[in-house]
Structures are given as C-alpha cells and as structure tokens.
Amino acid sequence: MGRVWNAIKSALAKAGAKRTTPDDHLIKLTEDLLERNAFDTQQGMAAMQAVFMADAQRQRAHERRLQAGEARWKQIRRITLTVMALAGVMSASALYLYRNGFKMPVGKPVSVVSINGEIGMEQGGVAENIIPSLRRAFENPSSKGVILRINSPGGLPVDSERVNRELDSLKKKYPNKEVTAVIETIGASAAYMIAVHADKICAGQYSLVGSIGAVVSAWNVNGLAERLQVKKEAFGSGKFKALLDPFKVMDEDDRRKVFDLVGELGGTFAAEVQSRRKERLKLTREELSTGEVWTGTQAVKNGLIDEICTLESVASRYDAVPRDYGPYTSNVWTPGEVGRALGAGFLGGMMGAAAEAGTLKPR
C-alpha cells in the first residue's frame, strides 16, 4: 500500500512539474499496474482516494483564483463609483459657480451685469435676480468698474425702482467703482430708468433709447358682453374702486382719473431723468415726455446718452476683460437648488458606476 501511495504522489508531483493534468498520470499509473497484474482492491481504493484529494486541491486552487479575481473587480468597481460620484459633484459645482459669475481669474476684470427682457416680467429683468448679481459685481475687489448691459424694452417701474435703490446704495459703498450703462438693442421705458442711475450711459448707433413716460392699458369688452347677453355687476367701496373693470363703460370722471394717474407716473419719470442727466440733457420737459424712442445717434444729440459705444469698447477703456455676473434667464439657482444639483450629480455618478459594474464581469 505504501508503495502504491508513494507512486501516486510521485505521479502527481510529475504532473505538476510538467504542467499536465494529474488524471492523465493516474490513468497511466493504473494502466501500468494492470499490465503488471499488480492491481488489487486496496490499490484501487488508494488510487481513487488520491484522485479525490487531487480534485479537491484543484477545486480549492480554482476557488482561490476566483476569489482573488472577484476581489480585484470589487476594488475596480469601488474606484469607478468614487470617481464617477466625484465627477458628478464637481460638474454640478462647476455649473453653479459658472452661472453665478465665477470664471477663471483674469488679470484686470470689469464686472458686467446683464439686464434682459421685460423688467419685472422675465427672469433676466426681475429685481430678485438683478440685485444679487449687482452685489457680486461690486464686491469683487479686483474689478475696475461695473457695466450694466441693457437689452430691454421696459416693463414694471416698481422693479426698476428696487434695482435703482440698490444701485445707488452700492455706489455709495464702493465710490471708486464707476458704473457705465451700455444699451445694446434697446433700452426703453423702465430699462432706461435704470440706465440713468449709472455714471455714464452709452449705446450703439443702431440702438433704440427713450420711451420716457407711463401707460395704463385696460380692455373694454362691454360691447361683446352685450352681444353675448353677459352681464357683470361690480360693487365697489368707492367711485373709482372698479376703475379698470373691462365690463364697465368709462365716463368722463373715470377717464380724467386715469389720465391723472398716467400723468403723475410719467411726470415722475421725466423729473427723475432731468435730475440725473442735468445739464447734459438737451430736451425740455415736454419734449422728453412724449414717449418717443430715439436711435443711439439721436440720443447723443438730445443728451439722453453720453456717447456711442459697445461693451468691448467700454471694457477696453479699463484695459480689462469683461466678467459676466448674470443674472441668467434660464436658471438662477437658490441654495436648495444647489443641494439638489449636487445630489443629482452624486446619484448620477452612482447609477453610472452601477451600470458600468454590471458590464465589467471577471472572466
């Protein structure tokens, strides 16, 4: 028995040395024993036992190789997950910073605040969005000035008033920061009301400037309602409480009241322009209050603006590069939205890593 066992171990060792399967050597050993008529039951049992032991050893070695491979893939998946999650967070952070005026530092920047669309009606013209951009623009210690980039036909004077009050406050707080309003396509009505609070106003020769005054619009559907036999009764606490009711036919008192309101609002606007432009203005109060719109060239002659210019020409006077501080019409982010964006970036990284891990399988 000992001789058989030693022969089997020797055969297994030779198999390992020659990188051939132990089964081949065991088969050859069994054939040799049969040829010599030296095979008996004990030898057969020993051979089977040796085969089982060899197979168990091979199985354990195979499992160890699989475990090592799985450990490597787990590490790869963890690294992939971490990298993709960090990439998602960094992308969301970079997008937030870019949308709030952050760009790679430049040697001599000049801050630009864009006022776009209808004042108080569109995102780029709403006071809640313009005011934070103004503050960031003034707070930059390396900025040599502030440019108001205006592309607006006007809108709500209340939002313009809010922006103007903040602008005047920031000018007092940062007296060395000169403010220049650059009117591009159009700067009219409530948009021009903001422009006159700058230290200088300029526009392109094809720009449209002016529309100084006020307007109150009201629908009158009384005739249509009568045809459709629709009646509406309004009970106001005073004579003018339902002044602009579209189902009501205005009498002379109503019209006089509306004209008084419009005249008061338009007059306040004209007086503000006169007080801001002072001796630079070449128009009388009556000429100013017609609601007329002028080209950039005409606006220079009338003293509504100081000169013809573009954004680039103003920046070149500071020997500076324009740096945009918004606001952005598509998305003005709040802290809550920033948190959601970071979470979305992290979740996107996790999902991407999971999907990637599903396709990377050990072979």
Side-chain angles (χ1 to χ4, degrees), residues 1-303:
M1 179 66 185
R3 285 185 289 106
V4 174
W5 176 246
N6 290 333
I8 292 172
K9 289 197 294 182
S10 176
L12 292 173
K14 291 178 181 179
K18 295 182 180 180
R19 296 185 178 275
T20 58
T21 63
D23 291 342
D24 294 338
H25 286 269
L26 288 171
I27 292 170
K28 188 176 184 304
L29 177 63
T30 304
E31 290 175 348
D32 292 341
L33 292 173
L34 289 171
E35 289 176 359
R36 297 198 307 268
N37 293 323
F39 186 82
D40 58 19
T41 304
Q42 289 183 346
Q43 291 174 338
M45 292 296 294
M48 291 177 63
Q49 196 174 38
V51 170
F52 292 149
M53 291 177 63
D55 187 66
Q57 290 177 351
R58 282 182 294 163
Q59 185 64 29
R60 284 195 293 270
H62 179 67
E63 290 177 354
R64 285 194 294 270
R65 287 194 298 270
L66 288 178
Q67 289 174 356
E70 184 64 26
R72 286 194 297 271
W73 283 110
K74 284 183 179 179
Q75 185 176 11
I76 291 173
R77 287 195 294 269
R78 283 196 295 267
I79 293 173
T80 303
L81 170 63
T82 302
V83 170
M84 296 189 71
L86 289 175
V89 172
M90 292 176 65
S91 298
S93 302
L95 179 61
Y96 168 72
L97 292 173
Y98 175 79
R99 289 185 175 277
N100 285 273
F102 178 81
K103 291 184 180 178
M104 294 302 293
V106 294
K108 297 177 181 179
V110 58
S111 302
V112 178
V113 177
S114 300
I115 301 174
N116 299 314
E118 291 189 55
I119 304 297
M121 303 295 289
E122 299 181 25
Q123 288 294 316
V126 176
E128 281 84 355
N129 300 335
I130 297 173
I131 290 174
S133 297
L134 279 174
R135 290 172 179 170
R136 292 194 299 269
F138 274 91
E139 288 168 0
N140 182 0
S142 61
S143 177
K144 303 181 71 173
V146 176
I147 297 176
L148 303 180
R149 186 178 189 178
I150 298 175
N151 284 288
S152 171
L156 302 180
V158 174
D159 276 64
S160 293
E161 183 179 4
R162 291 176 59 191
V163 172
N164 289 338
R165 288 184 180 274
E166 182 65 25
L167 181 58
D168 291 341
S169 175
L170 289 169
K171 287 170 63 178
K172 290 180 180 179
K173 187 176 180 180
Y174 301 94
N176 296 326
K177 296 282 181 74
E178 184 181 49
V179 181
T180 303
V182 178
I183 297 173
E184 295 190 328
T185 303
I186 184 170
S189 193
Y192 182 74
M193 187 185 296
I194 295 175
V196 297
H197 284 255
D199 298 311
K200 293 181 180 179
I201 308 175
C202 63
Q205 60 182 350
Y206 300 107
S207 303
L208 297 178
V209 182
S211 188
I212 298 165
V215 61
V216 175
S217 300
W219 290 94
N220 189 332
V221 297
N222 181 68
L224 178 62
E226 288 182 354
R227 286 194 175 194
L228 297 176
Q229 297 183 348
V230 176
K231 292 184 179 181
K232 176 188 174 184
E233 293 184 354
F235 302 93
S237 59
K239 176 177 175 57
F240 300 111
K241 189 63 178 176
L243 182 62
L244 299 179
D245 189 336
F247 289 89
K248 176 185 176 183
V249 178
M250 285 190 174
D251 58 24
E252 289 302 317
D253 289 341
D254 293 333
R255 294 180 181 278
R256 189 179 303 110
K257 182 62 178 177
V258 173
F259 277 119
D260 289 343
L261 288 173
V262 172
E264 176 68 20
L265 294 172
T268 302
F269 188 1
E272 185 173 3
V273 173
Q274 286 183 312
S275 66
R276 291 284 175 176
R277 298 299 296 170
K278 296 180 179 178
E279 68 278 356
R280 292 175 289 183
L281 187 63
K282 304 299 189 296
L283 299 176
T284 65
R285 178 71 170 268
E286 290 73 21
E287 293 171 331
L288 189 65
S289 302
T290 60
E292 185 177 353
V293 176
W294 295 273
T295 65
T297 304
Q298 293 171 332
V300 172
K301 295 179 180 178
N302 294 329

